[in-house]
Amino acid sequence: MSSPDRLVSPLADSGDVAETSPALRPTRLDEFVGQAQLKARLSIAIEAAKGRTEPMEHLLLHGPPGLGKTTIAHIVAEEMGTRAYVTSGPALTKGADLVGTLTRMQPGDVLLIDEIHRLPAAVEEYIYPAMEDFKIDFTLDGGMHARVVTYRLKPFTLIGATTRAGLLTAALRSRFGIAHRLEFYSTEELGQILTRAAKQLDLQFAEDEARQLIAARSRGTPRICLRLLRRVRDFAEVRGGGPITVEAASEALALEGVDAQGLDPLDRAYIRVLADVYDNGPAGLEAIAATLGEDAGTLEDVVEPFLLQIGLLARTRQGRRLTSAITEMDGTNPAGPLFEESGPSTSDS
Ligand code: ADP
């Protein structure tokens, strides 16, 4: 089972390349839907920084994947009138990997380090002086003749994005001037994102309910909502084109195993393991992961946040537990087949 292939996976897949097209990614703060508090904080920080001709403060964004962290980094650069450079924690193995980018950056440029919780300790220590005093140290020559040379950088903004703020060292976290947790989006906000995307993709909805239906199944995540839109568009095209009807949207998503709440086979397998094997819990994440044959980190990043959000799952000191809301998921609920399928192997993602 490879989770990034799930239709509702919030992780980017190759089909999402299209989403990086400048047309679909909002480029200005006022085009960015939702996250009102973050937008307010950023617009003040950006304006203040511009007034002082300084870079914006270092920003730490955390929250589940697909909620707009990368988009925000590009927007900050755009609003500051500077450029954004993008790298990720696992891509950086030693401090020297960053030298090229850091020394090339111009005043006010933005450096986005995605998955910053996976930054090796050596790189982390390397970026402390870069963040605090805009300088880095090079070691020239080796052994007895080693010399440390300090290089001054142009003042820049580091944006760290992470799905696991808890894994960041306190030392690193404290070096960010602003830290913000991104929230899941409301169905209404996702509806607005769909309206904008549909316009750009030259798509029409036959009924507003068709748009609502996709928004409601996108588990609060813009990346999923745009991906579902593409699947529905393909389905509608193959079925003869024309505006997207409720029927086409719901058939297309049912075909992909996405139910009315946006739960997919992996979510349902997770719930079923907890319900059937662990008697509704509490059970440890590692145990659930082992039973499912999934990676615990993947479950924690892409399955659990949404189940917690919709109140089906509770995380207690003893482990994960299903809430009483699960008993309301009877046969009339599209999530009902949950209890009729037979075991985790039915998951086809
Ligand atoms: P993350 O970095 O958190 O994984 P991204 O910034 O890559 O997420 O966003 C995923 C996709 O969702 C992108 O195509 C982006 O354009 C879109 N998106 C995210 N947030 C918004 C938003 N608030 N409004 C419109 N589109 C959004």
Side-chain angles (χ1 to χ4, degrees):
M1 185 185 298
S2 118
S3 298
D5 293 341
R6 296 162 76 205
L7 180 65
V8 294
S9 167
L11 302 176
D13 69 14
S14 53
D16 291 330
V17 170
E19 85 184 7
T20 56
S21 76
L24 275 189
R25 218 186 245 287
T27 51
R28 304 306 293 236
L29 212 47
D30 58 9
E31 292 168 12
F32 191 85
V33 176
Q35 312 289 345
Q37 200 197 353
L38 173 63
K39 274 163 58 176
R41 292 180 80 183
L42 285 180
S43 72
I44 291 172
I46 290 169
E47 208 175 316
K50 277 164 101 175
R52 292 192 298 260
T53 359
E54 280 176 7
M56 196 191 79
E57 277 192 86
H58 300 310
L59 168 69
L60 179 66
L61 294 173
H62 53 110
L67 297 190
K69 297 184 289 298
T70 309
T71 308
I72 288 282
H74 287 282
I75 288 177
V76 168
E78 184 74 28
E79 296 282 351
M80 290 292 298
T82 58
R83 298 189 52 182
Y85 293 82
V86 180
T87 184
S88 77
L92 301 167
T93 53
K94 51 190 187 313
D97 292 343
L98 267 176
V99 172
T101 308
L102 285 175
T103 53
R104 198 167 347 126
M105 282 167 53
Q106 294 304 309
D109 278 354
V110 168
L111 174 65
L112 169 66
I113 305 186
D114 201 9
E115 294 190 77
I116 197 164
H117 61 275
R118 294 178 61 190
L119 207 57
V123 184
E124 190 175 316
E125 274 168 30
Y126 197 82
I127 62 170
Y128 290 159
M131 289 175 81
E132 282 184 332
D133 304 319
F134 303 118
K135 62 175 201 190
I136 43 173
D137 292 332
F138 289 114
T139 307
L140 293 183
D141 303 333
M144 263 172 57
H145 304 290
R147 288 179 293 140
V148 177
V149 178
T150 301
Y151 188 93
R152 292 235 141 257
L153 302 170
K154 314 251 175 31
F156 69 101
T157 298
L158 181 73
I159 300 188
T162 179
T163 49
R164 312 257 190 98
L167 294 186
L168 249 58
T169 62
L172 181 57
R173 210 169 332 143
S174 67
R175 284 174 165 86
F176 288 94
I178 311 173
H180 194 94
R181 184 188 162 77
L182 276 84
E183 306 291 340
F184 282 111
Y185 292 69
S186 68
T187 307
E188 199 194 327
E189 289 164 348
L190 295 173
Q192 290 172 31
I193 293 175
L194 283 173
T195 304
R196 184 171 174 270
K199 205 183 286 168
Q200 277 154 352
L201 295 172
D202 206 13
L203 283 174
Q204 265 98 44
F205 294 104
E207 303 115 321
D208 195 44
E209 288 76 17
R211 188 179 60 107
Q212 290 294 331
L213 186 136
I214 302 173
R217 297 188 184 195
S218 302
R219 44 168 60 221
T221 308
R223 175 175 293 134
I224 295 175
C225 138
L226 296 173
R227 190 178 305 162
L228 294 183
L229 179 67
R230 286 198 298 275
R231 294 297 156 95
V232 170
R233 173 186 62 177
D234 292 351
F235 186 89
E237 272 171 13
V238 171
R239 287 288 171 96
I244 295 166
T245 59
V246 169
E247 204 187 346
S250 77
E251 262 187 70
L253 299 185
L255 206 61
E256 300 288 345
V258 179
D259 71 22
Q261 285 178 291
L263 301 185
D264 80 342
L266 181 58
D267 301 310
R268 292 197 292 268
Y270 177 101
I271 296 173
R272 199 164 40 238
V273 161
L274 203 45
D276 297 349
V277 181
Y278 296 102
D279 205 13
N280 289 351
L285 173 64
E286 295 292 338
I288 302 168
T291 313
L292 271 173
E294 259 298 339
D295 170 57
T298 304
L299 295 181
E300 196 170 8
D301 275 359
V302 306
V303 174
E304 293 188 335
F306 186 65
L307 297 180
L308 287 163
Q309 164 83 5
I310 59 173
L312 286 182
L313 183 70
R315 243 178 1 201
T316 67
R317 204 188 287 259
Q318 290 79 30
R320 273 64 170 168
R321 182 172 66 66
L322 292 177
T323 67
S324 55
I326 205 78
T327 53
E328 286 152 29
M329 292 170 68
D330 59 23
T332 56
N333 185 309
L338 189 61
F339 299 106
E340 286 157 28
E341 290 171 27
S342 56
S345 58
T346 52
S347 172
D348 60 4
S349 58

